[in-house]
Amino acid sequence: TQLLEQSPQFLSIQEGENLTVYCNSSSVFSSLQWYRQEPGEGPVLLVTVVTGGEVKKLKRLTFQFGDARKDSSLHITAAQPGDTGLYLCAGGAAGNKLTFGGGTRVLVKP
Amino acid sequence: DAMVIQNPRYQVTQFGKPVTLSCSQTLNHNVMYWYQQKSSQAPKLLFHYYDKDFNNEADTPDNFQSRRPNTSFCFLDIRSPGLGDAAMYLCATSSGMRPSSYNEQFFGPGTRLTVL
C-alpha cells in the first residue's frame, strides 16, 4: 500500500512570511498533484508534477518533485490571507485512483 | 466553462431516512468518483465508475450505493444514514485517457450532509 505523509499538519503564519509544506513517501509515484481546498468547497487542482527533479512555479507558489519521485514540497513566498486553506498532496495510483496525504491546514493571518 | 456540479450544496436528513446526492459534469470525462470527507481530513474514496464499470472500495459500507445512468451524471445513495455519515461528499472526475496512474482529478464543490 502506497502511503503519503504530509507535514506539518497545521501551520499558522503572518501575512508576508514564507512557508513550506512537505509530502513524503517510501514509494515511488508516477505523478503527484497538489490541491488547495477552502472551507466549504471542493479541492482545486494547483499543479501536477511527473518528472523527478521537476520544479513548477505558479505565481508565489513553487512545487518540487523529488529526484526519486518519492517526495514533493510546496513553498509559498510572501503568503497572503487568500492562501489560507487545506493543502493536499496526492499521488497517482493504479486503477485511476489517487493516494492522498493527510493534508496541511494553513492559516495566514493579516 | 467545463465543470463539475453538485446538488444540493447542503442536505439535511433524518437518521435512517434515505438520501440521494447528485453530481453532473460537462467535462465529458470517463471516470467519476465519490469521496467522503470529514473535518479537515483527506478525502476518502468510496467508489468510482470508469464509464459504466463500477469499482467499490473494500471498506465502503453497504449503506452507500451509486448509480451512473449516463456519462454526465452520477448519484450517491445513502440508504439509511447514521450520525456517523454526516460529512462533506465530494464528486470528482478524470479523463481516464492517460495512463491510469497519472490522472488529474477535478472536484465539484461538495455537498455538506447533516444527519439529525
Side-chain angles (χ1 to χ4, degrees):
Chain A
T1 303
Q2 294 178 307
L3 295 175
L4 276 169
E5 291 187 2
Q6 276 187 249
S7 61
Q9 289 184 311
F10 179 68
L11 200 53
S12 178
I13 60 172
Q14 292 294 136
E15 182 176 2
E17 293 181 340
N18 301 332
L19 69 97
T20 303
V21 178
Y22 299 94
C23 181
N24 295 295
S25 176
S26 58
S27 303
V28 175
F29 285 93
S30 56
S31 68
L32 200 134
Q33 297 159 30
W34 284 94
Y35 293 85
R36 178 171 64 216
Q37 184 177 21
E38 297 183 10
E41 299 294 331
V44 174
L45 179 65
L46 297 173
V47 77
T48 300
V49 286
V50 298
T51 305
E54 184 175 6
V55 177
K56 282 192 174 180
K57 292 193 175 184
L58 184 66
K59 296 184 180 177
R60 293 175 294 99
L61 278 61
T62 302
F63 305 86
Q64 188 162 7
F65 202 13
D67 291 341
R69 292 185 290 138
K70 292 183 179 181
D71 56 88
S72 182
S73 64
L74 157 61
H75 182 78
I76 301 179
T77 303
Q80 299 177 359
D83 296 324
T84 292
L86 177 68
Y87 288 81
L88 295 159
C89 67
N96 294 289
K97 294 195 265 190
L98 291 175
T99 297
F100 279 92
T104 297
R105 283 183 58 217
V106 171
L107 174 63
V108 182
K109 293 180 281 188
Chain B
D1 286 343
M3 54 197 305
V4 181
I5 302 162
Q6 289 189 245
N7 287 304
R9 292 294 311 276
Y10 302 91
Q11 177 72 58
V12 180
T13 190
Q14 292 180 333
F15 183 93
K17 184 175 181 181
V19 66
T20 295
L21 309 181
S22 72
C23 176
S24 64
Q25 54 128 344
T26 60
L27 296 160
N28 202 32
H29 280 172
N30 293 317
V31 193
M32 294 187 77
Y33 308 80
W34 279 105
Y35 289 88
Q36 179 192 67
Q37 186 180 32
K38 297 189 175 181
S39 58
S40 293
Q41 297 178 17
K44 179 181 181 299
L45 182 64
L46 296 173
F47 25 59
H48 73 283
Y49 277 92
Y50 193 111
D51 287 335
K52 294 184 179 181
D53 291 335
F54 178 70
N55 299 272
N56 198 31
E57 292 302 295
D59 58 353
T60 298
D62 292 340
N63 198 26
F64 292 87
Q65 304 285 318
S66 186
R67 297 169 282 135
R68 189 179 185 185
N70 54 53
T71 300
S72 300
F73 287 86
C74 196
F75 300 97
L76 170 61
D77 300 309
I78 308 177
R79 293 193 295 188
S80 182
L83 298 179
D85 296 328
M88 173 76 92
Y89 289 88
L90 296 165
C91 174
T93 72
S94 70
S95 67
M97 299 302 290
R98 299 187 182 216
S100 66
S101 59
Y102 172 30
N103 73 96
E104 296 170 321
Q105 293 188 16
F106 298 89
F107 287 82
T111 294
R112 169 73 63 187
L113 178 68
T114 299
V115 182
L116 301 177

